[in-house]
Each structure stands twice: as C-alpha cells, then as structure tokens.
Amino acid sequence: REAPQGRAQPAMAQVSGNDVYVHKFNLTAGGKWLIRDSQLSLVQGRRYGLVGPNGCGKSTLLHAIANRDEEVAKGIPKHMDILLVEQEVAAGDMTALDMVLSSDQRRLQMMDEVAQLEGTLQDGDGAEEAAAAAERLRELYDELEAIGSASAVQRASTILSGLQFTEEQKGWPTKAFSGGWRMRISLARALFRRPRLLLLDEPT
C-alpha cells in the first residue's frame, strides 16, 4: 500500500540505561510501507532473531537502528555504541589477526599519539613542552590501561580461535580466505570492539 506523503511523527518513549524502546514507529521504502505503527523493544543481555521473507524490511530496520534514523532515534540511549555487521572484510595483504586489531581505531590513535609524545621527550625539547607531553602521556597510559590495551593481541587471538581459526590461519592475509571466512573476520572485528548493541545482517 502506498505510504501517505505527510505522515505524523511517531510518539516515542525517551529511554535511559542500556535498553532500546521505541513506542511507535514507521518505516517505508520506495513509497511503500515496510513497518507501520510498530513497537521496538531490545533488552540488554538478550539475543534476538529477526525473521521474515525477502523484502519485508529486515535490513532496512537494522540500518535504521544503526544509523539512528529519526523514526527510532528517540528510543535509543545516546551513549549506546551500535555496530552493524553486514559484509565480509576486503581481501588484502593484512593478516586476519591484524585486521581484527585494526577495528579499534581509538586504541590505534592513542598508541600513535603515545609514540609521538615519547619521541618528543627523547628529543629533549623545551621544559614546558616536555612537561605537557609527560602529562598527556600519563593520561594516555591510564586510558590504554582502562581499555585493556596490553591484552588486545591475546583477546583478538582468542576471538579468532572461537571462530575456528587455527594459529597458522591467524597469520594468513585476508586475500587467502574465502568470502565466508572473511565474514568471520568481520564478525571477529565486531566482537573485539565490544559494542553495546551488535547487529548482524545475514550472518550465515
């Protein structure tokens, strides 16, 4: 059925904590209704399966949640980290293990900044600049410790082991894997990042 041109904004509950609750929302695609006057509830700690025929709006709904579209945004806590996994990693020269580690961009950025600041201290620049560098380094060390940076390689390796990668395979370049195995690497990246809400589009 054709969707009306001027539909009213849905009434949605403002939530807090780590649950998602949308009181009422609509989704359309190509001028047709996919979801109409529906509720959405995702409770922390539970796993949900989204089942339906092709074209019914499953992927559209996942994208709406991941992108915080206005139809659902007010029901999603602002602090919630959401990750949608929908395709395998690209085939290239990076190893499976390094590909997983590279998913945490914040950790990599902090490590790069640490290297730069340590270089500044070694260069023996002015006292004021050295003091500022030392203070920033202390902050970065604390942040890296808080996110478990020292155990990142071990954690990434353990995740890959859980997805049936052998120790040898962890060192293979991603181009050596089939699409199905590269999808497993993509899933490993998601698990490594540990988002509060993980969405999988056709994970099989």
Side-chain angles (χ1 to χ4, degrees), residues 6 14 27 29 34 60 64 68 91 99 113 122 131-132 138 141-142:
Q14 187 69 41
L27 287 180
L34 295 176
T60 302
R68 300 176 186 266
M99 182 62 75
E113 187 176 356
Q122 291 176 358
R138 283 191 291 271
Y141 290 151
D142 289 342

Side-chain angles (χ1 to χ4, degrees), residues 132-154:
E135 176 62 27
R136 178 56 180 157
L137 271 174
R138 283 191 291 271
E139 295 175 357
L140 289 169
Y141 290 151
D142 289 342
E143 290 184 49
L144 288 168
E145 182 178 1
I147 65 173
S149 179
S151 63
V153 174
Q154 180 59 46

Side-chain angles (χ1 to χ4, degrees), residues 40-94:
L40 174 65
S41 178
L42 302 175
V43 179
Q44 182 184 20
R46 295 185 182 179
R47 299 177 181 178
Y48 298 86
L50 190 57
V51 181
N54 291 338
C56 72
K58 300 187 297 296
S59 293
T60 302
L61 174 59
L62 293 180
H63 279 272
I65 297 171
N67 297 328
R68 300 176 186 266
D69 289 357
E70 64 175 334
E71 288 286 335
V72 298
K74 290 183 180 178
I76 302 174
K78 291 183 179 180
H79 68 272
M80 181 171 285
D81 179 22
I82 304 173
L83 180 62
L84 172 61
V85 178
E86 56 181 336
Q87 62 185 2
E88 67 267 19
V89 298
D93 294 325
M94 185 177 290

Side-chain angles (χ1 to χ4, degrees), residues 3-10 26-28 33 70-71:
Q5 295 299 313
R7 66 177 186 269
Q9 291 294 320
N26 304 303
L27 287 180
T28 63
W33 291 107
E70 64 175 334
E71 288 286 335

Side-chain angles (χ1 to χ4, degrees), residues 20-36:
V20 172
Y21 179 70
V22 183
H23 176 64
K24 183 186 293 184
F25 74 103
N26 304 303
L27 287 180
T28 63
K32 295 186 179 298
W33 291 107
L34 295 176
I35 299 174
R36 186 173 186 181

